[in-house]
Amino acid sequence: MVDRVHTDVKPFPRRRARRSSGRRLVFDGQADDWLEALPLGNGRLGAMCGGGMHAVLDLNEETLWSGAPQRDERQRRVAAAEAQDLLLRARAAVLAGRPQEAEELLARRQSDYAQAFLPVGRLVVGAEQPDPVDVVRTLDLQTAVHETRAGEAIAETFVSQPAQVVVHAITGGRGDPALDFTSPLRETSRDVLDDGFVVRLQAPLDVAPGHEPSMPAATWPEPGERSVEAVVVVRRRAEQERVVIVAAIETTYAGPTAPLSPIAEAESRARQRVEDALREPYERLRDEHVHAHRTLFDRVQLDLGPAPDLPTDERLSHARASGDVAAADPDLVATLFDYGRYLLISSARPGGLPANLQGVWNAEMRPPWSSNYTLNINAEMNCWASEVTDLPETVDPLIRFVEALAERGAVTAAHDYGAPGWTAHHNSDAWAFTATTGAGHGAVKWSFWPFAGAWLTRHLTEHVAFGAAPEGFAADTLRPLARGAARFMLSWLTETPDGALGTAPSTSPENAFRTGDAEVGVGVSSTMDISLARELLETVVALEDDPADPLAREARRALDRIPTPASRVRADGVLEWDRAVDEADPAHRHVSHLYALYPGAAADESFERAAAVSLDRRGLDSTGWSLAWKLALWARLGRSDRVSALIELVFRDAHANAAGHAGGLYPNLFAAHPPFQIDGNLGYVAGIAECLVQSHRGRIELLPAVPSTLGAGSVRGLVARPGIHVDIEWLDGALVETRLRARPGAEGCVRVEWAGHGVDVIVECDAEIIVTRGDIDDAPRDRAGDDRSAQAGRGPMV
């Protein structure tokens, strides 16, 4: 055991990377397209910085959605008794081998759809005219400040979290710039001020998704009806040779289930925010903003080598042309990692809503998939990196959202299932929509999936497992939410023909199989269903101190009868349902049947071997978010070769590969589904983190899947379970040293492993411990290669 504690230590030596390029996105020329513009955000407000010195700012506010509180209750198409009868008939049909009939019955239970995240509008600063000299645009990821340079003229833009305003400052410009604001929303009134304007806007009551072309694109409120309203206040002032423009946006949204607030209150807040910001000197506004951002961003640093002193698009072009992006420009791998952390910080902060499908950025009134919350992978993926990259604050919005889903989902459980507890399905919105979508004709393979509650509960358990949860969280927040989801789960489980407990009807999100001449998405006990059911019930048991607690006892009895993920292992991979099927799309983008491997932690060695076979059968190429999921899965398997191939696909030019489900990057490094979805960016961060450190087996594994092209580097500030800060340095693919420090409450003995060998160390919270490669090489070998099955399947560490 290593018990050397070093209290007087220096940071790892760092390569002298060119931070002017490596942690900044730099582009020559103005941005003429939304996917060339660069994003700013403070969790609540978003701005896409386009144009040149003639700035084009596309503005968003996280609570500006179509719809209204509980309005979706009007969408329910059948009464409770009929919904439950249709469900029982669907269960009988699928158990009798008639999946098509089951799908027809389930479609009749569907509600309409969740609502859409909407744009606020476009603020244009300055007259549109050619810039007299070349323009250079820069987004500094470390300061969250966007800069545009054209000769002596400089414009800086940032979205301040402390001040809750958008700030745009011009130095050396052409006098007092004109201001123009337009919005696709209904403008109810506008006041012109001496130094700006106040605009009042109203959102539609309903926006149908793009895949419902027969429905109205937007339905506006009638007299007496209320939808979300917004107030935009924009003012400016001169400060020496600088013009400072401040914009505030406030809405009447008061929460997923709360009544809308008066617009006068929103206007008062917006006016006050602008007034307060204009009183502050510009440099103080900027410094406070930068400090707030860096408090989060600087917690982690990944260094993979120096960055070429070139604009970002040229770096990408050169690296892509080489055929191996990571080998040609390793710092690009680290830059995209930092960009993902930047986007997460910018789109999710405490007290607000979680990042949606596009984070907090959208310019369309009918955005792809309504830019809302897809709960069968994408909303969860947005938070995968939160704990391991020491950004637990970004999980707070999801926790609050899960609480709202539990409240609304109790109604859905009772109405649609006649069940206790709470549930949610594959789609949601700012109003905590929990019913099935589809409007009576949606594909059941995506609409019917009552497992969102189980999956979302995992994020709350991870908050505890990483030592980030405040005191009392497990008992006061996690426990009641998990127990509510478990009550529904225990009611939903049914005995299957083999005598086990399972689910029927059952889907494996969005996938399908052939039966006869038909393609169906409904079967029995999908592997994802049983994986989530077991994980949830194991959590409930682990959280309960009273062995006689009735719910925990029922959960234990159910666990004895629910098949394990390992029971689905076959020679040709992992079964997706309870039996082998004729896959409709062998390369399908979802890999839900491998949940137990990642993000779950219930994969034993047999499951891991079979998962590798399944992943190879699926292939590497897919959508942006699927590439990120596969990156994490292959990292869990220690396959750095597959990781390397996936990184190459992640960095593709999305415009050049726009057909089908092929991911890549747009010019501003947004990830492509296609189209743009932020989960690809955020999931990539989690995948790279899994290559650097893993802790799901009850020990800390260092550098388990780092590609050979990234053979030298260092990382500072990652977090391993049960709350250990981890710094790592490596050279020529081999560990040099790691530094460990515990969060309060996580002190104690931990196992640290590299390349199959390990050592036990005592980690404290008030001092760092250094473990070198020599310490591990010299350790006794009796524990090397611990039996993974001893850790697998034991449930979340709560």
Side-chain angles (χ1 to χ4, degrees), residues 74-79 82 107-112 215 415 438-441:
R74 305 182 187 184
Q75 294 186 5
R76 295 191 188 275
R77 291 172 171 260
V78 297
E82 184 178 356
R108 289 163 57 184
R109 303 171 70 252
Q110 293 173 347
S111 291
D112 286 354
M215 294 186 175
H415 182 281
H441 54 258

Side-chain angles (χ1 to χ4, degrees), residues 34-35 37-43 45-48 60 65 117 139 336-349 353-362 367-374 377-386 394 623-629 650 663-666 668-687:
W34 194 82
L35 290 170
L38 296 171
L40 296 169
N42 67 357
L45 300 173
M48 294 293 289
N60 290 99
W65 290 66
F117 175 59
L139 175 60
L336 193 64
F337 177 86
D338 278 347
Y339 189 47
R341 293 193 304 117
Y342 166 88
L343 293 172
L344 179 58
I345 293 166
S346 300
S347 57
R349 295 285 186 93
L353 290 169
N356 61 54
L357 273 177
Q358 296 184 182
V360 71
W361 302 280
N362 169 43
W369 299 285
S370 301
S371 190
N372 55 31
Y373 300 106
T374 304
I377 174 60
N378 314 91
E380 290 87 354
M381 182 179 285
N382 283 354
C383 288
W384 280 357
S386 296
T394 62
T623 64
W625 61 261
S626 183
L627 295 178
W629 197 352
V650 166
L665 299 177
Y666 291 111
N668 62 1
L669 272 63
F670 273 172
H673 178 289
F676 161 54
Q677 281 187 195
I678 203 167
D679 39 35
N681 290 102
L682 306 187
Y684 168 85
V685 179

Side-chain angles (χ1 to χ4, degrees), residues 68-69 104 285 354 362 398 411 448 524 534 604 654 681 715 726:
E104 293 168 1
L285 267 179
N362 169 43
L398 185 69
V411 176
F448 184 80
V524 175
R534 291 191 63 86
D604 63 9
N681 290 102
V715 65
V726 180

Side-chain angles (χ1 to χ4, degrees), residues 60-244:
N60 290 99
E61 203 278 351
E62 66 168 357
T63 65
L64 213 165
W65 290 66
S66 58
Q70 301 181 22
R71 182 176 171 82
D72 56 290
E73 291 297 330
R74 305 182 187 184
Q75 294 186 5
R76 295 191 188 275
R77 291 172 171 260
V78 297
E82 184 178 356
Q84 294 163 32
D85 177 66
L86 289 167
L87 184 64
L88 290 175
R89 290 163 59 191
R91 171 173 284 175
V94 76
L95 289 174
R98 304 192 302 275
Q100 285 176 277
E101 179 185 336
E103 288 197 329
E104 293 168 1
L105 293 164
L106 291 172
R108 289 163 57 184
R109 303 171 70 252
Q110 293 173 347
S111 291
D112 286 354
Y113 43 78
Q115 292 300 324
F117 175 59
L118 302 175
V120 173
R122 171 171 287 184
L123 175 63
V124 178
V125 181
E128 186 171 3
Q129 55 186 341
D131 289 303
V133 293
D134 292 339
V135 170
V136 179
R137 298 178 296 117
T138 303
L139 175 60
D140 190 321
L141 303 180
Q142 191 173 42
T143 64
V145 175
H146 180 277
E147 178 189 272
T148 304
R149 247 176 217 275
E152 297 299 316
I154 302 173
E156 287 191 329
T157 313
F158 57 88
V159 181
S160 170
Q161 200 278 332
Q164 289 294 312
V165 292
V166 180
V167 180
H168 183 78
I170 306 167
T171 305
R174 309 166 187 165
D176 198 15
L179 300 176
D180 182 61
F181 177 80
T182 56
S183 174
L185 304 176
R186 177 183 285 173
E187 183 174 320
T188 58
S189 64
R190 179 183 295 232
D191 296 342
V192 178
L193 312 175
D194 291 339
D195 58 354
F197 53 81
V198 178
V199 178
R200 300 166 193 87
L201 304 168
Q202 186 176 43
L205 262 178
D206 188 84
V207 170
H211 56 262
E212 296 287 357
S214 63
M215 294 186 175
T219 302
W220 299 90
E222 298 291 341
E225 293 183 313
R226 289 200 68 193
S227 61
V228 177
E229 296 172 277
V231 178
V232 182
V233 178
V234 180
R235 291 175 57 196
R236 61 186 158 194
R237 65 171 170 81
E239 182 183 303
Q240 299 174 346
E241 296 181 356
R242 180 185 287 126
V243 176
V244 180

